[in-house]
Amino acid sequence: MTRKSGRFFLNPILIVIVAAVLLAAALIAASQLSARQRQQIPIGPQGPQPGQEQPSTQPPVPPQQPVAPAMAVTAQPTKGSPDAPVTIIEFAEFYCPYCARYLWETYPKIESDYIAKGLVRYQFHNLIVHGPVALLAAVAGECAHEQGKFWPLHDRLFESTFPGRNLSQPQELKVADLERLAGAVGLNLESFNSCLESYDTKFNSCFSDYNNCTAGGTDRESCAAAFNVCLAADPMFQKVLEDQEELSRLIAQLPPEEEAQAQRLGTPTFFINGHILIGAQPYENFKKMIDRELEKTRR
Amino acid sequence: MAGVPKTRGAIIALALLGMGVSAYLAYEHFCGPIACIGQGCALVDQSVYCTIYGLPISVLGIVTYAAILGLALASLRLKEPLAAWLYLGVFGLSLSGTIFSAYLTYLEFAVIRAFCTWCVISAVTITTIFGLAAAEVKRTTSALAHRA
């Protein structure tokens, strides 16, 4: 009887094992499918810009350039001592909630622990992930940088795209909003407004060409390429483009073991003496990498 | 039978530890470091592995450890054969948990590429619970067999 029952009662264990394995497999499959689905959701934080009937017709702005020959990245917005042994290059966007979170939670510690002590030189670059609306804000930053007042506008921009520091509800800033912010941080409004408005006019004219191009039956990619060429005539857009080229250059110079990370690029992305760090990671992760670089220079 | 409550006591303690750790690590590790990718980040908030169709992994971890805790406690209080059946539940859940934990550990090292002490602690916790449950599951079975 015991033998027979023993066999019989082995079955519940087997059944539980099979059920447990199936449950785990289902969870793993669900996790993978869910992750894949979430990666595919294309969503901007806000509606289309003036002149854009449908967000889906947004041309890809700006394009990822092929690796550019060493270009002179001059006069980027920079903080800290030029002789600092470690350079952090940030790629960020004013509509990216994680860039804002990084700025408010992590950056202050980097500034007090390293930048203020002359150990780190800090540089900002644009990386556009939210299309034309984010591009406009990036151009506003470039226009402020023309007057050497990038950082005050930078800080004010993040406070304005995420009012009350509410990261879940980005607010779209239009040309007039950006001009108001520029006034609030003490920029010369005459040159700032002219800088921003000439970009905006150029954008609208290029975008109208783009719409005509697609309406005329030309394939979207060619129209988008023409759009980029058209807009590249604007000097401020050109600067944002140069940021993308700088990104390509930095990626091309990554150590081989870090190359895979660059395939999952997002904002914010940092290069710490050429080593990549992606995301609004905890301060400890920055500290670890910065300290490692400082250690190298002491040797 | 003296060994049984001791093992279950250990499982109960580990389940409590696991509840705390899983909640902390799932939030901090999978929902912490994040970036905006492609055309958006309002929805690609945090790591895409942070949730499964909207259910945060942290919640999944807490629920699993809580279920293990509940089943282990109940199996101490209730009489056989019900206790033995509940114990089989602990065994099954901890096995699922161990497999899923191995998958999460794989993600950490191969995909997210970030070392996380708390993740390793949770993985060890659930694996230990499974080991303890597996060691006792035979005895449980024989108790059931004897009853039958």
Side-chain angles (χ1 to χ4, degrees):
Chain A
M1 175 197 145
T2 21
R3 255 183 101 94
K4 203 174 170 188
S5 308
R7 258 188 220 158
F8 174 77
F9 276 103
L10 259 183
N11 287 343
I13 297 180
L14 279 178
I15 289 167
V16 167
I17 290 175
V18 170
V21 171
L22 286 177
L23 175 65
L27 279 173
I28 292 169
S31 161
Q32 284 291 319
L33 287 173
S34 157
R36 209 167 295 171
Q37 198 181 59
R38 295 182 72 194
Q39 270 163 343
Q40 285 167 352
I41 295 171
I43 203 167
Q46 62 291 298
Q49 270 220 331
Q52 291 173 276
E53 290 74 31
Q54 289 172 359
S56 60
T57 62
Q58 289 176 5
V61 190
Q64 194 75 3
Q65 295 288 310
V67 178
M71 47 163 296
V73 183
T74 51
Q76 282 295 329
T78 305
K79 277 185 183 178
S81 161
D83 304 322
V86 177
T87 299
I88 299 181
I89 300 179
E90 178 189 10
F91 284 84
E93 191 213 61
F94 296 111
Y95 282 90
C96 153
Y98 305 116
C99 303
R101 191 211 254 183
Y102 158 82
L103 173 69
W104 296 327
E105 292 179 6
T106 308
Y107 175 77
K109 290 180 208 152
I110 295 176
E111 180 156 47
S112 62
D113 291 357
Y114 296 102
I115 301 174
K117 292 176 183 164
L119 298 169
V120 164
R121 194 170 70 103
Y122 198 90
Q123 211 172 62
F124 181 93
H125 289 262
N126 295 292
L127 175 56
I128 308 299
V129 296
H130 283 109
V133 178
L135 182 57
L136 180 67
V139 166
E142 294 293 349
C143 291
H145 184 51
E146 290 285 287
Q147 300 182 28
K149 288 185 177 168
F150 170 80
W151 295 106
L153 187 70
H154 163 274
D155 296 350
R156 188 61 78 99
L157 268 171
F158 275 113
E159 298 286 354
S160 309
T161 45
F162 300 102
R165 298 198 169 182
N166 179 355
L167 296 178
S168 60
Q169 288 182 325
Q171 297 296 307
E172 179 181 347
L173 300 179
K174 303 204 187 312
V175 172
D177 302 319
L178 293 164
E179 291 175 350
R180 207 184 56 245
L181 291 180
V185 297
L187 287 167
N188 177 327
L189 277 185
E190 200 179 317
S191 49
F192 179 86
N193 294 3
S194 130
C195 173
L196 191 63
E197 283 166 21
S198 78
Y199 159 80
D200 192 48
T201 309
K202 187 76 187 156
F203 178 91
N204 287 328
S205 121
C206 296
F207 193 74
S208 155
D209 291 350
Y210 169 83
N211 279 336
N212 292 338
C213 175
T214 50
T218 314
D219 71 284
R220 274 190 160 198
E221 257 176 43
S222 312
C223 296
F227 172 85
N228 285 323
V229 171
C230 170
L231 198 54
D234 181 83
M236 294 302 118
F237 176 73
Q238 189 60 46
K239 289 197 168 188
V240 179
L241 267 189
E242 284 168 7
D243 282 353
Q244 321 302 305
E245 288 168 11
E246 173 67 358
L247 177 64
S248 302
R249 196 180 64 80
L250 287 164
I251 288 172
Q253 290 173 352
L254 277 177
E257 66 273 17
E258 294 177 23
E259 279 169 6
Q261 288 191 59
Q263 288 166 9
R264 299 189 315 280
L265 212 58
T267 48
T269 286
F270 303 88
F271 292 86
I272 302 175
N273 271 9
H275 295 280
I276 196 167
L277 182 70
I278 299 174
Q281 298 206 20
Y283 171 67
E284 288 66 36
N285 294 6
F286 283 90
K287 183 174 165 48
K288 221 181 285 172
M289 285 178 74
I290 298 169
D291 288 347
R292 199 179 57 199
E293 291 307 310
L294 287 173
E295 192 59 37
K296 278 186 205 166
T297 60
R298 284 192 196 110
R299 270 187 226 141
Chain B
M1 289 298 281
V4 174
K6 210 182 262 180
T7 313
R8 281 182 213 187
I11 289 177
I12 287 162
L14 285 170
L16 279 170
L17 171 75
M19 274 174 77
V21 169
S22 73
Y24 172 79
L25 82 86
Y27 179 76
E28 278 299 315
H29 194 57
F30 286 91
C31 304
I34 22 51
C36 299
I37 299 158
Q39 272 291 306
C41 58
L43 286 185
V44 191
D45 56 1
Q46 306 143 357
S47 164
V48 290
Y49 295 106
C50 176
T51 62
I52 300 176
Y53 290 109
L55 174 73
I57 286 181
S58 55
V59 174
L60 194 65
I62 295 166
V63 167
T64 306
Y65 280 113
I68 288 173
L69 180 67
L71 288 172
L73 278 173
S75 76
L76 270 182
R77 295 248 167 150
L78 296 171
K79 289 186 175 163
E80 303 291 355
L82 193 56
W85 288 111
L86 292 179
Y87 202 75
L88 268 178
V90 172
F91 170 73
L93 270 180
S94 62
L95 174 57
S96 290
T98 302
I99 298 169
F100 193 65
S101 214
Y103 161 75
L104 292 180
T105 308
Y106 159 78
L107 285 184
E108 279 157 43
F109 286 94
V111 181
I112 299 169
R113 281 173 188 268
F115 180 74
C116 160
T117 316
W118 289 101
C119 309
V120 176
I121 291 174
S122 174
V124 170
T125 304
I126 191 74
T127 310
T128 311
I129 291 177
F130 170 66
L132 290 170
E136 209 188 307
V137 81
K138 262 191 179 175
R139 199 200 312 240
T140 313
T141 314
S142 69
L144 282 173
H146 279 299
R147 272 199 158 258

